Amino acid sequence: MEYRGLTLSANVSMLFTELPYLDRYAAAARHGFTQVESWWPFPGPGATESEIDQLVATIEAAGVSLSALNFFGGDLAAGERGIASHPDRQHELASNVDAITRIAERTGCRLFNLLYGQLDDRWSPAEQQECAVTAIRSAAEGVGAFGGTVLIEPLTEGLNGRYPLLTADDVLALLDGPLKNVDNLSLLFDTFHLGSNGVDLVPTATALARNLAHVQLADSPGRGEPGSGALPLDETLDALRDSGYRGVVACEYKPTTDTETSLTWLR
């Protein structure tokens, strides 16, 4: 499926939630998507062979491609937003990299979103950044073995606890600073998070387009489908396309109605 000259994918963790998780892949296909993405689909950082078998079989049966997958981000429902910066969670991330690798080998997925983690008073921000840099480097090395790229995402201030990455500049300070010698890293350009934090989307998209590996699309306020908020999403997509972005744009929004009705913006 294309929109304004860019290929769209469906994030099945946010779309088609009227259905059980594994049924959403086929629903995405029925609505014209050939590519999908997902948050980490299992409760813990690891995955059994039977769990991976079932996921892969579901993707194959739906006839879609898995274009992006989140690393395990902790207990998202409880408010956690990543474990990379937490020294006491690194064994979980190592287990997750192993599971990610097994999924990637069977699906061809090559983009992986790694949430940084929230600030925690048990460690200083500098200690957490040192831990996060080491973790991101390790994750990039793990997925780099098969051509994968690690995505680093800013999140909306006020909705995600003490998450320290809020803007494109926050992420680029890491990628161009302590991680500058790691090639397979990219800012994840999420219109909702960046726009909600006051980033001017169109000029930022123009400036960064050629260096982006992935884009996610939602309006603000509300994180609903395009047209439900006030962000200049068509103009932003045009700027990305015209400035050289050739990757996928993921529909990662919370429908303000049922998913099928929410897709009318595409028509």
Side-chain angles (χ1 to χ4, degrees):
M1 179 184 293
E2 288 199 356
Y3 180 74
R4 304 188 83 84
L6 294 166
T7 299
L8 297 181
S9 70
N11 186 300
V12 295
S13 296
M14 295 192 70
L15 300 187
F16 306 107
T17 57
E18 303 89 349
L19 301 171
Y21 174 77
L22 290 176
D23 292 345
R24 299 173 198 171
Y25 291 87
R30 288 195 300 272
H31 286 83
F33 291 98
T34 60
Q35 299 196 44
V36 296
E37 69 174 35
S38 177
W39 298 351
W40 183 245
F42 307 117
T48 66
E49 286 305 316
S50 62
E51 287 175 326
I52 293 175
D53 286 345
Q54 185 179 36
L55 177 66
V56 172
T58 297
I59 293 168
E60 291 177 346
V64 294
S65 297
L66 183 67
S67 55
L69 180 67
N70 279 26
F71 283 89
F72 174 69
D75 189 345
L76 299 180
E80 292 184 329
R81 294 295 182 268
I83 60 175
S85 66
H86 290 202
D88 61 340
R89 308 289 293 273
Q90 296 312 294
H91 63 289
E92 296 177 64
L93 189 56
S95 173
N96 190 222
V97 171
D98 175 70
I100 286 270
T101 298
R102 287 183 285 140
I103 293 169
E105 287 173 344
R106 297 180 60 182
T107 63
C109 184
R110 294 295 181 263
L111 296 174
F112 307 96
N113 183 17
L114 180 61
L115 294 176
Y116 183 97
Q118 294 148 322
L119 295 179
D120 188 311
D121 288 336
R122 290 178 292 171
W123 307 281
S124 69
E127 288 173 322
Q128 286 196 248
Q129 177 170 305
E130 182 179 0
C131 179
V133 166
T134 299
I136 293 167
R137 189 184 303 275
S138 177
E141 181 179 352
V143 304
F146 52 82
T149 294
V150 173
L151 307 170
I152 307 297
E153 181 179 25
L155 297 183
T156 302
E157 186 173 19
L159 298 180
N160 298 286
R162 297 169 61 196
Y163 191 87
L165 306 180
L166 304 177
T167 67
D169 287 342
D170 291 338
V171 173
L172 294 176
L174 280 177
L175 303 191
D176 296 336
L179 290 164
K180 64 182 178 181
N181 61 339
V182 183
D183 293 331
N184 59 324
L185 297 174
S186 174
L187 164 72
L188 197 167
F189 190 100
D190 184 300
T191 61
F192 168 72
H193 293 307
L194 293 173
S196 296
N197 288 338
V199 174
D200 196 343
L201 293 178
V202 174
T204 304
T206 299
L208 300 180
R210 286 188 177 274
N211 295 317
L212 296 174
H214 197 48
V215 172
Q216 291 178 330
L217 187 67
D219 216 329
S220 180
R223 205 177 185 179
E225 64 272 8
S228 63
L231 295 181
L233 296 183
D234 282 351
E235 295 85 348
T236 300
L237 294 177
D238 290 347
L240 287 165
R241 182 200 62 227
D242 294 345
S243 299
Y245 180 70
R246 296 296 179 263
V248 171
V249 175
C251 300
E252 197 207 31
Y253 62 79
K254 295 188 293 187
T256 59
T257 179
D258 64 276
T259 301
E260 182 174 5
T261 303
S262 82
L263 292 169
T264 56
W265 64 274
L266 287 167
R267 298 190 289 273

PDB file of all heavy atoms in Angstrom, residues 121-159:
ATOM      1  N   ASP A 121      16.410   6.842  39.981  1.00  0.00           N
ATOM      2  CA  ASP A 121      17.272   7.464  40.980  1.00  0.00           C
ATOM      3  C   ASP A 121      18.313   6.519  41.572  1.00  0.00           C
ATOM      4  O   ASP A 121      19.188   6.958  42.330  1.00  0.00           O
ATOM      5  CB  ASP A 121      16.429   8.066  42.108  1.00  0.00           C
ATOM      6  CG  ASP A 121      15.691   9.317  41.668  1.00  0.00           C
ATOM      7  OD1 ASP A 121      16.150   9.963  40.696  1.00  0.00           O
ATOM      8  OD2 ASP A 121      14.653   9.641  42.274  1.00  0.00           O
ATOM      9  N   ARG A 122      18.237   5.240  41.255  1.00  0.00           N
ATOM     10  CA  ARG A 122      19.270   4.318  41.728  1.00  0.00           C
ATOM     11  C   ARG A 122      20.603   4.576  41.034  1.00  0.00           C
ATOM     12  O   ARG A 122      21.655   4.151  41.528  1.00  0.00           O
ATOM     13  CB  ARG A 122      18.833   2.867  41.508  1.00  0.00           C
ATOM     14  CG  ARG A 122      17.689   2.411  42.403  1.00  0.00           C
ATOM     15  CD  ARG A 122      17.291   0.984  42.067  1.00  0.00           C
ATOM     16  NE  ARG A 122      16.676   0.897  40.742  1.00  0.00           N
ATOM     17  CZ  ARG A 122      16.386  -0.244  40.137  1.00  0.00           C
ATOM     18  NH1 ARG A 122      16.694  -1.406  40.717  1.00  0.00           N
ATOM     19  NH2 ARG A 122      15.803  -0.237  38.949  1.00  0.00           N
ATOM     20  N   TRP A 123      20.552   5.249  39.894  1.00  0.00           N
ATOM     21  CA  TRP A 123      21.772   5.559  39.151  1.00  0.00           C
ATOM     22  C   TRP A 123      21.697   7.010  38.683  1.00  0.00           C
ATOM     23  O   TRP A 123      20.619   7.577  38.520  1.00  0.00           O
ATOM     24  CB  TRP A 123      21.915   4.660  37.922  1.00  0.00           C
ATOM     25  CG  TRP A 123      21.803   3.200  38.225  1.00  0.00           C
ATOM     26  CD1 TRP A 123      22.759   2.384  38.752  1.00  0.00           C
ATOM     27  CD2 TRP A 123      20.649   2.371  38.022  1.00  0.00           C
ATOM     28  NE1 TRP A 123      22.278   1.103  38.888  1.00  0.00           N
ATOM     29  CE2 TRP A 123      20.989   1.057  38.448  1.00  0.00           C
ATOM     30  CE3 TRP A 123      19.361   2.585  37.520  1.00  0.00           C
ATOM     31  CZ2 TRP A 123      20.107  -0.009  38.395  1.00  0.00           C
ATOM     32  CZ3 TRP A 123      18.477   1.535  37.457  1.00  0.00           C
ATOM     33  CH2 TRP A 123      18.840   0.257  37.892  1.00  0.00           C
ATOM     34  N   SER A 124      22.849   7.608  38.438  1.00  0.00           N
ATOM     35  CA  SER A 124      22.884   8.962  37.894  1.00  0.00           C
ATOM     36  C   SER A 124      22.545   8.902  36.406  1.00  0.00           C
ATOM     37  O   SER A 124      22.699   7.858  35.750  1.00  0.00           O
ATOM     38  CB  SER A 124      24.271   9.568  38.067  1.00  0.00           C
ATOM     39  OG  SER A 124      25.210   8.914  37.219  1.00  0.00           O
ATOM     40  N   PRO A 125      22.084  10.025  35.822  1.00  0.00           N
ATOM     41  CA  PRO A 125      21.844  10.034  34.377  1.00  0.00           C
ATOM     42  C   PRO A 125      23.083   9.650  33.574  1.00  0.00           C
ATOM     43  O   PRO A 125      22.976   8.969  32.545  1.00  0.00           O
ATOM     44  CB  PRO A 125      21.425  11.483  34.111  1.00  0.00           C
ATOM     45  CG  PRO A 125      20.793  11.930  35.394  1.00  0.00           C
ATOM     46  CD  PRO A 125      21.608  11.265  36.472  1.00  0.00           C
ATOM     47  N   ALA A 126      24.250  10.046  34.055  1.00  0.00           N
ATOM     48  CA  ALA A 126      25.486   9.691  33.344  1.00  0.00           C
ATOM     49  C   ALA A 126      25.732   8.190  33.392  1.00  0.00           C
ATOM     50  O   ALA A 126      26.163   7.588  32.396  1.00  0.00           O
ATOM     51  CB  ALA A 126      26.663  10.437  33.947  1.00  0.00           C
ATOM     52  N   GLU A 127      25.482   7.579  34.540  1.00  0.00           N
ATOM     53  CA  GLU A 127      25.640   6.126  34.649  1.00  0.00           C
ATOM     54  C   GLU A 127      24.648   5.407  33.736  1.00  0.00           C
ATOM     55  O   GLU A 127      24.987   4.409  33.091  1.00  0.00           O
ATOM     56  CB  GLU A 127      25.443   5.680  36.089  1.00  0.00           C
ATOM     57  CG  GLU A 127      26.583   6.056  37.022  1.00  0.00           C
ATOM     58  CD  GLU A 127      26.270   5.749  38.474  1.00  0.00           C
ATOM     59  OE1 GLU A 127      25.096   5.942  38.886  1.00  0.00           O
ATOM     60  OE2 GLU A 127      27.195   5.336  39.196  1.00  0.00           O
ATOM     61  N   GLN A 128      23.428   5.921  33.678  1.00  0.00           N
ATOM     62  CA  GLN A 128      22.444   5.285  32.812  1.00  0.00           C
ATOM     63  C   GLN A 128      22.780   5.473  31.341  1.00  0.00           C
ATOM     64  O   GLN A 128      22.585   4.557  30.537  1.00  0.00           O
ATOM     65  CB  GLN A 128      21.041   5.817  33.115  1.00  0.00           C
ATOM     66  CG  GLN A 128      20.478   5.269  34.419  1.00  0.00           C
ATOM     67  CD  GLN A 128      18.972   5.471  34.526  1.00  0.00           C
ATOM     68  OE1 GLN A 128      18.509   6.227  35.343  1.00  0.00           O
ATOM     69  NE2 GLN A 128      18.220   4.766  33.691  1.00  0.00           N
ATOM     70  N   GLN A 129      23.306   6.638  30.990  1.00  0.00           N
ATOM     71  CA  GLN A 129      23.696   6.822  29.595  1.00  0.00           C
ATOM     72  C   GLN A 129      24.844   5.884  29.229  1.00  0.00           C
ATOM     73  O   GLN A 129      24.850   5.297  28.140  1.00  0.00           O
ATOM     74  CB  GLN A 129      24.119   8.260  29.316  1.00  0.00           C
ATOM     75  CG  GLN A 129      24.585   8.435  27.871  1.00  0.00           C
ATOM     76  CD  GLN A 129      24.799   9.863  27.469  1.00  0.00           C
ATOM     77  OE1 GLN A 129      23.904  10.697  27.597  1.00  0.00           O
ATOM     78  NE2 GLN A 129      25.988  10.168  26.955  1.00  0.00           N
ATOM     79  N   GLU A 130      25.803   5.719  30.134  1.00  0.00           N
ATOM     80  CA  GLU A 130      26.903   4.800  29.867  1.00  0.00           C
ATOM     81  C   GLU A 130      26.379   3.381  29.653  1.00  0.00           C
ATOM     82  O   GLU A 130      26.821   2.669  28.744  1.00  0.00           O
ATOM     83  CB  GLU A 130      27.903   4.826  31.020  1.00  0.00           C
ATOM     84  CG  GLU A 130      29.106   3.923  30.807  1.00  0.00           C
ATOM     85  CD  GLU A 130      30.092   3.990  31.959  1.00  0.00           C
ATOM     86  OE1 GLU A 130      29.848   4.735  32.926  1.00  0.00           O
ATOM     87  OE2 GLU A 130      31.118   3.272  31.890  1.00  0.00           O
ATOM     88  N   CYS A 131      25.420   2.971  30.476  1.00  0.00           N
ATOM     89  CA  CYS A 131      24.818   1.653  30.330  1.00  0.00           C
ATOM     90  C   CYS A 131      24.062   1.553  29.006  1.00  0.00           C
ATOM     91  O   CYS A 131      24.189   0.557  28.281  1.00  0.00           O
ATOM     92  CB  CYS A 131      23.880   1.384  31.502  1.00  0.00           C
ATOM     93  SG  CYS A 131      23.049  -0.219  31.436  1.00  0.00           S
ATOM     94  N   ALA A 132      23.281   2.593  28.683  1.00  0.00           N
ATOM     95  CA  ALA A 132      22.500   2.575  27.447  1.00  0.00           C
ATOM     96  C   ALA A 132      23.400   2.515  26.224  1.00  0.00           C
ATOM     97  O   ALA A 132      23.113   1.788  25.260  1.00  0.00           O
ATOM     98  CB  ALA A 132      21.593   3.794  27.380  1.00  0.00           C
ATOM     99  N   VAL A 133      24.481   3.265  26.231  1.00  0.00           N
ATOM    100  CA  VAL A 133      25.411   3.258  25.101  1.00  0.00           C
ATOM    101  C   VAL A 133      25.990   1.864  24.897  1.00  0.00           C
ATOM    102  O   VAL A 133      26.062   1.353  23.775  1.00  0.00           O
ATOM    103  CB  VAL A 133      26.523   4.307  25.309  1.00  0.00           C
ATOM    104  CG1 VAL A 133      27.677   4.079  24.336  1.00  0.00           C
ATOM    105  CG2 VAL A 133      25.951   5.713  25.137  1.00  0.00           C
ATOM    106  N   THR A 134      26.379   1.234  25.997  1.00  0.00           N
ATOM    107  CA  THR A 134      26.911  -0.126  25.904  1.00  0.00           C
ATOM    108  C   THR A 134      25.849  -1.089  25.388  1.00  0.00           C
ATOM    109  O   THR A 134      26.119  -1.947  24.538  1.00  0.00           O
ATOM    110  CB  THR A 134      27.420  -0.590  27.278  1.00  0.00           C
ATOM    111  OG1 THR A 134      28.467   0.286  27.706  1.00  0.00           O
ATOM    112  CG2 THR A 134      27.946  -2.012  27.220  1.00  0.00           C
ATOM    113  N   ALA A 135      24.618  -0.950  25.893  1.00  0.00           N
ATOM    114  CA  ALA A 135      23.527  -1.835  25.477  1.00  0.00           C
ATOM    115  C   ALA A 135      23.166  -1.632  24.015  1.00  0.00           C
ATOM    116  O   ALA A 135      22.940  -2.603  23.277  1.00  0.00           O
ATOM    117  CB  ALA A 135      22.309  -1.596  26.366  1.00  0.00           C
ATOM    118  N   ILE A 136      23.082  -0.384  23.582  1.00  0.00           N
ATOM    119  CA  ILE A 136      22.745  -0.096  22.185  1.00  0.00           C
ATOM    120  C   ILE A 136      23.833  -0.629  21.264  1.00  0.00           C
ATOM    121  O   ILE A 136      23.552  -1.232  20.219  1.00  0.00           O
ATOM    122  CB  ILE A 136      22.538   1.419  21.984  1.00  0.00           C
ATOM    123  CG1 ILE A 136      21.297   1.895  22.747  1.00  0.00           C
ATOM    124  CG2 ILE A 136      22.414   1.754  20.503  1.00  0.00           C
ATOM    125  CD1 ILE A 136      21.180   3.406  22.860  1.00  0.00           C
ATOM    126  N   ARG A 137      25.079  -0.434  21.675  1.00  0.00           N
ATOM    127  CA  ARG A 137      26.194  -0.935  20.875  1.00  0.00           C
ATOM    128  C   ARG A 137      26.128  -2.463  20.745  1.00  0.00           C
ATOM    129  O   ARG A 137      26.338  -3.033  19.672  1.00  0.00           O
ATOM    130  CB  ARG A 137      27.514  -0.505  21.513  1.00  0.00           C
ATOM    131  CG  ARG A 137      28.750  -0.776  20.653  1.00  0.00           C
ATOM    132  CD  ARG A 137      30.019  -0.414  21.418  1.00  0.00           C
ATOM    133  NE  ARG A 137      30.010   0.954  21.867  1.00  0.00           N
ATOM    134  CZ  ARG A 137      30.397   1.987  21.132  1.00  0.00           C
ATOM    135  NH1 ARG A 137      30.807   1.767  19.886  1.00  0.00           N
ATOM    136  NH2 ARG A 137      30.385   3.213  21.620  1.00  0.00           N
ATOM    137  N   SER A 138      25.818  -3.128  21.855  1.00  0.00           N
ATOM    138  CA  SER A 138      25.727  -4.586  21.856  1.00  0.00           C
ATOM    139  C   SER A 138      24.564  -5.062  20.989  1.00  0.00           C
ATOM    140  O   SER A 138      24.696  -6.020  20.215  1.00  0.00           O
ATOM    141  CB  SER A 138      25.567  -5.094  23.288  1.00  0.00           C
ATOM    142  OG  SER A 138      25.420  -6.490  23.312  1.00  0.00           O
ATOM    143  N   ALA A 139      23.416  -4.397  21.110  1.00  0.00           N
ATOM    144  CA  ALA A 139      22.259  -4.770  20.294  1.00  0.00           C
ATOM    145  C   ALA A 139      22.549  -4.558  18.812  1.00  0.00           C
ATOM    146  O   ALA A 139      22.177  -5.389  17.970  1.00  0.00           O
ATOM    147  CB  ALA A 139      21.041  -3.957  20.718  1.00  0.00           C
ATOM    148  N   ALA A 140      23.211  -3.447  18.484  1.00  0.00           N
ATOM    149  CA  ALA A 140      23.549  -3.170  17.089  1.00  0.00           C
ATOM    150  C   ALA A 140      24.514  -4.211  16.545  1.00  0.00           C
ATOM    151  O   ALA A 140      24.396  -4.634  15.381  1.00  0.00           O
ATOM    152  CB  ALA A 140      24.149  -1.772  16.968  1.00  0.00           C
ATOM    153  N   GLU A 141      25.453  -4.637  17.370  1.00  0.00           N
ATOM    154  CA  GLU A 141      26.373  -5.687  16.942  1.00  0.00           C
ATOM    155  C   GLU A 141      25.621  -6.994  16.703  1.00  0.00           C
ATOM    156  O   GLU A 141      25.878  -7.714  15.726  1.00  0.00           O
ATOM    157  CB  GLU A 141      27.455  -5.899  18.002  1.00  0.00           C
ATOM    158  CG  GLU A 141      28.475  -6.963  17.638  1.00  0.00           C
ATOM    159  CD  GLU A 141      29.555  -7.137  18.696  1.00  0.00           C
ATOM    160  OE1 GLU A 141      29.602  -6.313  19.643  1.00  0.00           O
ATOM    161  OE2 GLU A 141      30.350  -8.088  18.574  1.00  0.00           O
ATOM    162  N   GLY A 142      24.661  -7.296  17.594  1.00  0.00           N
ATOM    163  CA  GLY A 142      23.896  -8.531  17.447  1.00  0.00           C
ATOM    164  C   GLY A 142      23.086  -8.575  16.171  1.00  0.00           C
ATOM    165  O   GLY A 142      23.149  -9.554  15.416  1.00  0.00           O
ATOM    166  N   VAL A 143      22.327  -7.509  15.890  1.00  0.00           N
ATOM    167  CA  VAL A 143      21.493  -7.527  14.683  1.00  0.00           C
ATOM    168  C   VAL A 143      22.298  -7.173  13.442  1.00  0.00           C
ATOM    169  O   VAL A 143      21.888  -7.489  12.322  1.00  0.00           O
ATOM    170  CB  VAL A 143      20.264  -6.599  14.824  1.00  0.00           C
ATOM    171  CG1 VAL A 143      19.447  -6.973  16.040  1.00  0.00           C
ATOM    172  CG2 VAL A 143      20.654  -5.130  14.853  1.00  0.00           C
ATOM    173  N   GLY A 144      23.442  -6.537  13.632  1.00  0.00           N
ATOM    174  CA  GLY A 144      24.287  -6.208  12.494  1.00  0.00           C
ATOM    175  C   GLY A 144      24.847  -7.437  11.813  1.00  0.00           C
ATOM    176  O   GLY A 144      25.203  -7.392  10.625  1.00  0.00           O
ATOM    177  N   ALA A 145      24.912  -8.546  12.556  1.00  0.00           N
ATOM    178  CA  ALA A 145      25.447  -9.785  11.988  1.00  0.00           C
ATOM    179  C   ALA A 145      24.622 -10.269  10.810  1.00  0.00           C
ATOM    180  O   ALA A 145      25.137 -10.991   9.951  1.00  0.00           O
ATOM    181  CB  ALA A 145      25.514 -10.858  13.073  1.00  0.00           C
ATOM    182  N   PHE A 146      23.345  -9.868  10.750  1.00  0.00           N
ATOM    183  CA  PHE A 146      22.505 -10.276   9.614  1.00  0.00           C
ATOM    184  C   PHE A 146      21.935  -9.061   8.869  1.00  0.00           C
ATOM    185  O   PHE A 146      20.923  -9.152   8.185  1.00  0.00           O
ATOM    186  CB  PHE A 146      21.374 -11.207  10.070  1.00  0.00           C
ATOM    187  CG  PHE A 146      20.541 -10.683  11.213  1.00  0.00           C
ATOM    188  CD1 PHE A 146      19.506  -9.793  10.995  1.00  0.00           C
ATOM    189  CD2 PHE A 146      20.792 -11.095  12.515  1.00  0.00           C
ATOM    190  CE1 PHE A 146      18.739  -9.311  12.037  1.00  0.00           C
ATOM    191  CE2 PHE A 146      20.023 -10.634  13.568  1.00  0.00           C
ATOM    192  CZ  PHE A 146      18.996  -9.741  13.330  1.00  0.00           C
ATOM    193  N   GLY A 147      22.592  -7.921   9.000  1.00  0.00           N
ATOM    194  CA  GLY A 147      22.185  -6.738   8.247  1.00  0.00           C
ATOM    195  C   GLY A 147      21.096  -5.913   8.893  1.00  0.00           C
ATOM    196  O   GLY A 147      20.469  -5.086   8.218  1.00  0.00           O
ATOM    197  N   GLY A 148      20.863  -6.099  10.190  1.00  0.00           N
ATOM    198  CA  GLY A 148      19.817  -5.360  10.883  1.00  0.00           C
ATOM    199  C   GLY A 148      20.256  -3.981  11.338  1.00  0.00           C
ATOM    200  O   GLY A 148      21.446  -3.693  11.473  1.00  0.00           O
ATOM    201  N   THR A 149      19.269  -3.123  11.586  1.00  0.00           N
ATOM    202  CA  THR A 149      19.492  -1.762  12.075  1.00  0.00           C
ATOM    203  C   THR A 149      18.699  -1.544  13.352  1.00  0.00           C
ATOM    204  O   THR A 149      17.531  -1.944  13.437  1.00  0.00           O
ATOM    205  CB  THR A 149      19.054  -0.719  11.013  1.00  0.00           C
ATOM    206  OG1 THR A 149      19.911  -0.829   9.872  1.00  0.00           O
ATOM    207  CG2 THR A 149      19.131   0.700  11.554  1.00  0.00           C
ATOM    208  N   VAL A 150      19.325  -0.908  14.331  1.00  0.00           N
ATOM    209  CA  VAL A 150      18.658  -0.555  15.582  1.00  0.00           C
ATOM    210  C   VAL A 150      18.119   0.868  15.477  1.00  0.00           C
ATOM    211  O   VAL A 150      18.843   1.792  15.081  1.00  0.00           O
ATOM    212  CB  VAL A 150      19.621  -0.672  16.777  1.00  0.00           C
ATOM    213  CG1 VAL A 150      18.971  -0.127  18.057  1.00  0.00           C
ATOM    214  CG2 VAL A 150      20.042  -2.123  16.986  1.00  0.00           C
ATOM    215  N   LEU A 151      16.845   1.037  15.819  1.00  0.00           N
ATOM    216  CA  LEU A 151      16.179   2.337  15.800  1.00  0.00           C
ATOM    217  C   LEU A 151      16.090   2.883  17.221  1.00  0.00           C
ATOM    218  O   LEU A 151      15.763   2.145  18.147  1.00  0.00           O
ATOM    219  CB  LEU A 151      14.771   2.202  15.222  1.00  0.00           C
ATOM    220  CG  LEU A 151      14.663   1.509  13.863  1.00  0.00           C
ATOM    221  CD1 LEU A 151      13.203   1.219  13.540  1.00  0.00           C
ATOM    222  CD2 LEU A 151      15.296   2.359  12.767  1.00  0.00           C
ATOM    223  N   ILE A 152      16.364   4.172  17.391  1.00  0.00           N
ATOM    224  CA  ILE A 152      16.272   4.831  18.693  1.00  0.00           C
ATOM    225  C   ILE A 152      15.219   5.927  18.591  1.00  0.00           C
ATOM    226  O   ILE A 152      15.277   6.779  17.701  1.00  0.00           O
ATOM    227  CB  ILE A 152      17.621   5.430  19.129  1.00  0.00           C
ATOM    228  CG1 ILE A 152      18.726   4.366  19.072  1.00  0.00           C
ATOM    229  CG2 ILE A 152      17.512   6.014  20.534  1.00  0.00           C
ATOM    230  CD1 ILE A 152      18.527   3.197  20.011  1.00  0.00           C
ATOM    231  N   GLU A 153      14.280   5.917  19.526  1.00  0.00           N
ATOM    232  CA  GLU A 153      13.062   6.726  19.395  1.00  0.00           C
ATOM    233  C   GLU A 153      12.898   7.736  20.532  1.00  0.00           C
ATOM    234  O   GLU A 153      12.961   7.373  21.705  1.00  0.00           O
ATOM    235  CB  GLU A 153      11.856   5.784  19.385  1.00  0.00           C
ATOM    236  CG  GLU A 153      10.515   6.465  19.226  1.00  0.00           C
ATOM    237  CD  GLU A 153       9.373   5.473  19.193  1.00  0.00           C
ATOM    238  OE1 GLU A 153       9.510   4.363  19.747  1.00  0.00           O
ATOM    239  OE2 GLU A 153       8.332   5.815  18.623  1.00  0.00           O
ATOM    240  N   PRO A 154      12.651   8.996  20.196  1.00  0.00           N
ATOM    241  CA  PRO A 154      12.186   9.942  21.217  1.00  0.00           C
ATOM    242  C   PRO A 154      10.729   9.635  21.554  1.00  0.00           C
ATOM    243  O   PRO A 154       9.991   9.145  20.707  1.00  0.00           O
ATOM    244  CB  PRO A 154      12.296  11.315  20.530  1.00  0.00           C
ATOM    245  CG  PRO A 154      12.968  11.080  19.218  1.00  0.00           C
ATOM    246  CD  PRO A 154      12.788   9.638  18.882  1.00  0.00           C
ATOM    247  N   LEU A 155      10.323   9.928  22.792  1.00  0.00           N
ATOM    248  CA  LEU A 155       8.939   9.715  23.205  1.00  0.00           C
ATOM    249  C   LEU A 155       8.333  11.007  23.735  1.00  0.00           C
ATOM    250  O   LEU A 155       9.046  11.929  24.139  1.00  0.00           O
ATOM    251  CB  LEU A 155       8.853   8.627  24.277  1.00  0.00           C
ATOM    252  CG  LEU A 155       9.290   7.218  23.895  1.00  0.00           C
ATOM    253  CD1 LEU A 155       9.075   6.263  25.068  1.00  0.00           C
ATOM    254  CD2 LEU A 155       8.556   6.707  22.658  1.00  0.00           C
ATOM    255  N   THR A 156       7.006  11.061  23.776  1.00  0.00           N
ATOM    256  CA  THR A 156       6.285  12.261  24.192  1.00  0.00           C
ATOM    257  C   THR A 156       6.507  12.576  25.662  1.00  0.00           C
ATOM    258  O   THR A 156       6.316  11.717  26.535  1.00  0.00           O
ATOM    259  CB  THR A 156       4.780  12.083  23.930  1.00  0.00           C
ATOM    260  OG1 THR A 156       4.581  11.820  22.550  1.00  0.00           O
ATOM    261  CG2 THR A 156       4.005  13.330  24.321  1.00  0.00           C
ATOM    262  N   GLU A 157       6.874  13.796  25.937  1.00  0.00           N
ATOM    263  CA  GLU A 157       7.071  14.244  27.308  1.00  0.00           C
ATOM    264  C   GLU A 157       5.740  14.233  28.053  1.00  0.00           C
ATOM    265  O   GLU A 157       4.700  14.614  27.512  1.00  0.00           O
ATOM    266  CB  GLU A 157       7.652  15.656  27.320  1.00  0.00           C
ATOM    267  CG  GLU A 157       8.030  16.166  28.697  1.00  0.00           C
ATOM    268  CD  GLU A 157       8.748  17.495  28.655  1.00  0.00           C
ATOM    269  OE1 GLU A 157       8.655  18.202  27.619  1.00  0.00           O
ATOM    270  OE2 GLU A 157       9.392  17.840  29.660  1.00  0.00           O
ATOM    271  N   GLY A 158       5.747  13.756  29.290  1.00  0.00           N
ATOM    272  CA  GLY A 158       4.562  13.760  30.122  1.00  0.00           C
ATOM    273  C   GLY A 158       3.708  12.515  30.020  1.00  0.00           C
ATOM    274  O   GLY A 158       2.813  12.319  30.845  1.00  0.00           O
ATOM    275  N   LEU A 159       3.973  11.666  29.035  1.00  0.00           N
ATOM    276  CA  LEU A 159       3.178  10.452  28.858  1.00  0.00           C
ATOM    277  C   LEU A 159       3.978   9.179  29.100  1.00  0.00           C
ATOM    278  O   LEU A 159       3.401   8.089  29.122  1.00  0.00           O
ATOM    279  CB  LEU A 159       2.594  10.393  27.437  1.00  0.00           C
ATOM    280  CG  LEU A 159       1.644  11.506  27.020  1.00  0.00           C
ATOM    281  CD1 LEU A 159       1.172  11.278  25.595  1.00  0.00           C
ATOM    282  CD2 LEU A 159       0.454  11.604  27.970  1.00  0.00           C
TER     283      LEU A 159
END
